[in-house]
Structure formats: C-alpha cells, structure tokens
Amino acid sequence: CLPMIVQMIVIMGLFALLRNPMAYIQSDKMLFAIHESFLWIPDLAQPDKWILPIVSGVATFIAFAFFISLNVATSALVARRKGEGDQQAANRTLKQILAIMAVLLVIVTAVFFSAAEPLLKFVGAQEDTIGPATEYFRIIIGFSFFTLISMTINAAQRGVGNTKIAMRTNVTANIVNVIGNYLLIEGHLGFPALGVTGAAIATVFGTVVACVMSLLSIIKKDSFVSLAYAVKRKIGFAMDQIASMGKLFGSELVEQLL
C-alpha cells in the first residue's frame, strides 16, 4: 500500500476540487499556480514523462514482489509439510512466520506512524491536505496488522489446498469497505460524516472482518493448519525451519525482481 501514498494526495486534491470547482476556476491565484515548478518538475501543467512514472512503477513492483515472495514462501513450505503429512511442521511454519511478521510490523508501523507528516510533505502534500492525509495514513498503517495476518494465514491455507478462503476474505473486505465508505464519508443512515477519516475507518473495518474470517479458518480442529493443534502440542520455534524459510523467501524475491 505504500506506493499509494503518492496517489492518495492526488485523489484527495481531486475530490477537493470537485466539491467546489468554481472556487478554483475563478481564482487568479490558481490559474498561475498550475504553471509553478515543484522539485524536478518545471511546470505542473505539463505531465512528468519520466521520473514519476518510473519511481511509481518501481515502488509498486518492489512492494508487490516482497509480499508475493512472502506468500509464495509460506504456501510452498506449508504445502511441502502437507505432502509429507507432517502437520506439526506445517503449524510450526505458520507460527514462525506470523511471529516474524509481527516483529517486523511493529518496527515498520512505529517508523511510518511517527514519520507520517514529514513523509507526506516530502511526496507533495500541501497545507490544506496534510492534516487529513496524515490522519488517514496513520489509521491505515496503524491497523495494517490485520491485513498482513490475513494474508499470511490465507497463504498457508493455499498450501494445504484451501484456496477459497482468500477469495472469500477479499470479496468480503471490499464489500464492507464500500458500505463503510457510503456510511462514514458523507454520513448516511444516521452515521457521522467523517470525510477522509471515515474512508480510513471503513478500510480498516473491512480488513478486520477479513482477518477474523482468516483466523476462524485455522480454529477448526479438522484444518491441517490449526491454531488449536498448535496450542495443544505446544509447538515451538525451530531455527532450521526459519533458515529454510529465509532462503526460500530470498530466492523467490530475487526471482520476482529479476
């Protein structure tokens, strides 16, 4: 989601313009402002043909490659244990990758949450958008835990042949998000009009629902990757499996990037 920070600023500015277009069209200040320079862009009225498209494409590609590699590594390792009939090793794999994700997420969330405002200013947020943009970004990054946990569990479930859970969680999350946007952005059916904050809350609520669905899928006792099984057997960590996971993730990431 991080590459969307740049797009988010543009989308927020566009919606601000569409709410009251005459206020901007009749302003002499805005007529001259569109020809001002910003960073390496000499004229904002002209599209940037090289740097922004390349940076946006590369950032999006790296982000997708990282998460695809993580999911592929999880699915591959769990599938291998499934093929061996080793339920304990499969659950250990899921437990270890969830723990690693939790540690990394705490670090990343702390860094980006504290640096939200200067980061958004760096990518071009103005005084009239920096407040809502910072609040939106902090809400999304602060609750990204639910998204990553759901993604990891779904990857493990794909490894054991349960491919439906990913579709169900994604569809449900999007439906909840759309309904939440309708209720919270402009305030409908008695809900408060929260604007950008409402959009962030709707997104988070959708990811929470998806995460709950993913967690319920591993609570079932008959599931090959089962939380109940891991707790009952008191499955711990194994450094050899962590090393194997790191090698598989690294090789898959290199393959994705190349």
Side-chain angles (χ1 to χ4, degrees):
C1 296
L2 294 179
M4 293 186 66
I5 296 176
V6 178
Q7 303 173 29
M8 183 177 64
I9 305 298
V10 177
I11 292 173
M12 291 174 60
L14 176 61
F15 273 97
L17 172 63
L18 293 177
R19 287 193 188 100
N20 191 11
M22 296 304 297
Y24 295 94
I25 295 175
Q26 296 177 354
S27 173
D28 294 337
K29 181 180 178 181
M30 292 303 299
L31 291 175
F32 288 103
I34 61 174
H35 293 289
E36 291 183 355
S37 61
F38 178 73
L39 296 179
W40 63 86
I41 304 175
D43 189 348
L44 290 176
Q46 302 299 321
D48 181 16
K49 299 180 179 180
W50 297 102
I51 299 180
L52 275 180
I54 292 174
V55 170
S56 179
V58 170
T60 303
F61 176 70
I62 292 175
F64 273 108
F66 182 88
F67 287 109
I68 289 174
S69 301
L70 184 62
N71 286 338
V72 169
T74 303
S75 298
L77 287 172
V78 173
R80 182 187 303 172
R81 305 311 176 197
K82 171 69 172 178
E84 297 170 349
D86 192 345
Q87 187 176 8
Q88 183 169 334
N91 281 276
R92 180 181 289 113
T93 298
L94 177 59
K95 180 179 179 180
Q96 289 177 161
I97 199 166
L98 285 174
I100 293 172
M101 288 290 294
V103 172
L104 293 175
L105 188 59
V106 168
I107 298 173
V108 172
T109 300
V111 171
F112 281 96
F113 190 88
S114 59
E117 186 170 341
L119 178 63
L120 292 173
K121 286 183 177 179
F122 175 76
V123 298
Q126 302 299 318
E127 292 300 324
D128 58 336
T129 60
I130 188 62
T134 301
E135 186 173 3
Y136 180 93
F137 180 75
R138 283 177 171 167
I139 292 174
I140 296 297
I141 198 67
F143 290 91
S144 58
F145 169 84
F146 296 101
T147 302
L148 296 181
I149 293 300
S150 181
M151 288 174 55
T152 304
I153 294 175
N154 291 349
Q157 289 285 30
R158 282 195 296 270
V160 299
N162 183 5
T163 57
K164 295 180 180 179
I165 185 64
M167 182 191 69
R168 289 171 180 169
T169 55
N170 288 333
V171 170
T172 303
N174 281 287
I175 292 175
V176 172
N177 190 11
V178 170
I179 295 174
N181 285 334
Y182 172 76
L183 296 176
L184 297 177
I185 292 180
E186 295 185 353
H188 293 281
L189 302 180
F191 286 85
L194 301 178
V196 174
T197 302
I201 293 174
T203 301
V204 168
F205 192 63
T207 61
V208 170
V209 172
C211 184
V212 171
M213 293 175 62
S214 297
L215 288 171
L216 289 176
S217 73
I218 62 172
I219 291 179
K220 299 177 181 179
K221 294 182 179 180
D222 58 342
S223 176
F224 194 79
V225 281
S226 170
L227 184 61
Y229 179 91
V231 172
K232 183 178 180 180
R233 298 297 181 92
K234 298 181 179 180
I235 296 176
F237 292 88
M239 293 306 298
D240 58 333
Q241 288 194 8
I242 294 178
S244 176
M245 188 186 307
K247 290 179 181 179
L248 183 58
F249 167 73
S251 61
E252 181 62 28
L253 180 61
V254 171
E255 180 180 347
Q256 291 289 334
L257 293 176
L258 297 179

